[in-house]
Amino acid sequence: MQMSEVQRANMETEMNWRIHRQEVNASVTMYDAIWGEVRLTPYAQNETRSRRWGRIWTRLIFASFPSIVMTCRCCCWSLEKKPTTRHVAQGWTKQLLSWSFLFAAVQIFLMAYMTAKYGMVTLSENKMAGPGFVVFNDWGAKNAAEMRYENEWWRMLTAMFVHAGWFHLLSNVLMQLHLGTTLEIVWGHTNWLLVYLLSGFEGWLASAIFMSSTIGVGSSGALCGLIGAWVPFLIATWNQTLPRDRAGRNAQLAMVLLSIMVLIPLSFAPMVDAAAHMGGLIMGFTVASALFAGRVQTQTHRIAMRTAGIVTTLAVAVVSVVIFFNTDVDKRLLNLCPADGCPEL
């Protein structure tokens, strides 16, 4: 019995669809700066729903915590090629030998030490789940009065390592360990360190200007600087992307712009230092323009980008300092009680 033309056409269509589906499934890859390119196993024809959902969860976990997928045996079963012990060791070596991890370790240690020494107050007193706010001034929080009248400029550095509580610390550290480490591997350790520190300094200086009556802690300004620096980096390397990687490059730019769009309104939420966020974001952009100008292929554009980056970075820093010394700072911040309590009169 011969098949009709309709049946033959239907069979060819179904076969082509299956071949296309197999090609698509076989080409599903994930990429991380530390772990490199990782391929998922292709879908089986009679695959169970649990395995299909397991593969989906593997992709989601890898996007947020790639180290867990590559290290934990229960999470890597969906990978086409299981990571070797040597590969895992190399990945963790990159992670542990980064500024991102070192700073996160210091931040976690300080939070744990302050919690053990001073205890935790109720969530009604500190919604970030940490010690009382009076503790943070002794541990280097941003205090505009101390900076202005006692020349304690070191607070712009120490405030980046102290956090208001465990909720505050968790949100910043998770971002720093994932996004921060990825950018550090791509940019280089020195470039990352310059962007992080200078953004953090400017963030707290901006906070001392626009929110001078409050004390502040956290690495949010430095992290916003990393996001701001991502834009000049993508611009400088825009034409250096391979054709197969252009979709990923475009997705990165869209993700950065979306992050900035979400970051700006969130910066004005209660208990969030909008000045530190915006200051860090701007400084990260200007510093990165100077640092990554060398990656631009055209010499004229390279010189223009570097010059603009250096000039704007110096301008932002100088203008911020001048405005700060002309800001009316509340001197009552000089008389805050120490962490062990106010002396009895």
Side-chain angles (χ1 to χ4, degrees), residues 2-39:
Q2 295 183 349
M3 292 187 297
S4 64
E5 293 295 333
V6 175
Q7 291 175 326
R8 185 180 294 108
N10 290 338
M11 289 186 63
E12 290 179 356
T13 301
E14 183 178 357
M15 185 175 298
N16 291 334
W17 180 82
R18 289 181 178 180
I19 293 174
H20 174 71
R21 184 183 178 187
Q22 290 177 356
E23 291 176 350
V24 171
N25 292 336
S27 63
V28 172
T29 59
M30 302 178 296
Y31 179 79
D32 182 75
I34 295 177
W35 301 101
E37 188 176 274
V38 178
R39 298 176 66 90

Side-chain angles (χ1 to χ4, degrees), residues 70 110 153 176 209 211 256 268:
M70 301 301 292
L110 289 176
W153 293 94
Q176 185 168 300
I209 295 171
M211 303 184 69
V256 173
F268 296 93

Side-chain angles (χ1 to χ4, degrees), residues 41-234:
T41 55
Y43 288 98
Q45 186 173 5
N46 297 322
E47 188 175 60
T48 62
R49 180 177 297 181
S50 61
R51 290 188 65 86
R52 188 180 302 114
W53 276 104
R55 185 181 289 102
I56 293 174
W57 278 110
T58 299
R59 295 186 66 180
L60 291 175
I61 296 174
F62 187 87
S64 303
F65 309 104
S67 299
I68 294 178
V69 174
M70 301 301 292
T71 306
C72 183
R73 293 296 178 183
C74 62
C75 296
C76 65
W77 63 267
S78 295
L79 304 182
E80 188 174 70
K81 185 179 180 181
K82 302 299 184 291
T84 62
T85 304
R86 181 179 180 182
H87 187 197
V88 173
Q90 290 175 343
W92 275 105
T93 300
K94 291 180 181 179
Q95 184 100 25
L96 297 176
L97 296 180
S98 65
W99 288 111
S100 303
F101 185 88
L102 176 62
F103 287 173
V106 173
Q107 291 160 351
I108 293 172
F109 171 79
L110 289 176
M111 189 75 256
Y113 183 83
M114 285 192 294
T115 302
K117 184 174 183 178
Y118 303 108
M120 294 175 59
V121 297
T122 62
L123 291 178
S124 60
E125 297 180 71
N126 183 351
K127 292 181 173 57
M128 294 297 177
F133 289 113
V134 69
V135 171
F136 303 123
N137 188 62
D138 286 356
W139 284 81
K142 182 267 310 185
N143 184 324
E146 299 281 5
M147 293 166 57
R148 172 80 175 274
Y149 303 112
E150 301 295 336
N151 293 319
E152 295 184 356
W153 293 94
W154 46 265
R155 289 180 178 272
M156 292 195 300
L157 174 65
T158 55
M160 286 187 275
F161 295 91
V162 182
H163 287 78
W166 288 102
F167 295 157
H168 187 203
L169 175 71
L170 183 63
S171 61
N172 283 352
V173 164
L174 289 179
M175 181 179 178
Q176 185 168 300
L177 288 179
H178 183 45
L179 177 62
T181 306
T182 298
L183 295 179
E184 184 174 349
I185 297 299
V186 175
W187 296 350
H189 300 295
T190 303
N191 289 336
W192 186 93
L193 183 63
L194 287 173
V195 171
Y196 187 92
L197 292 179
L198 293 178
S199 299
F201 293 158
E202 176 59 31
W204 286 125
L205 184 55
S207 176
I209 295 171
F210 296 103
M211 303 184 69
S212 59
S213 61
T214 63
I215 63 172
V217 292
S219 59
S220 301
L223 295 176
C224 290
L226 297 180
I227 296 176
W230 206 350
V231 177
F233 175 79
L234 290 175

Side-chain angles (χ1 to χ4, degrees), residues 235-255:
I235 294 174
T237 59
W238 189 261
N239 294 323
Q240 302 172 23
T241 308
L242 296 175
R244 67 176 184 176
D245 297 329
R246 287 175 183 171
R249 175 202 64 188
N250 297 340
Q252 284 187 34
L253 179 60
M255 184 171 63

Side-chain angles (χ1 to χ4, degrees), residues 250-272:
N250 297 340
Q252 284 187 34
L253 179 60
M255 184 171 63
V256 173
L257 296 178
L258 179 62
S259 299
I260 295 175
M261 292 173 61
V262 173
L263 176 66
I264 292 175
L266 287 180
S267 298
F268 296 93
M271 296 188 67
V272 177

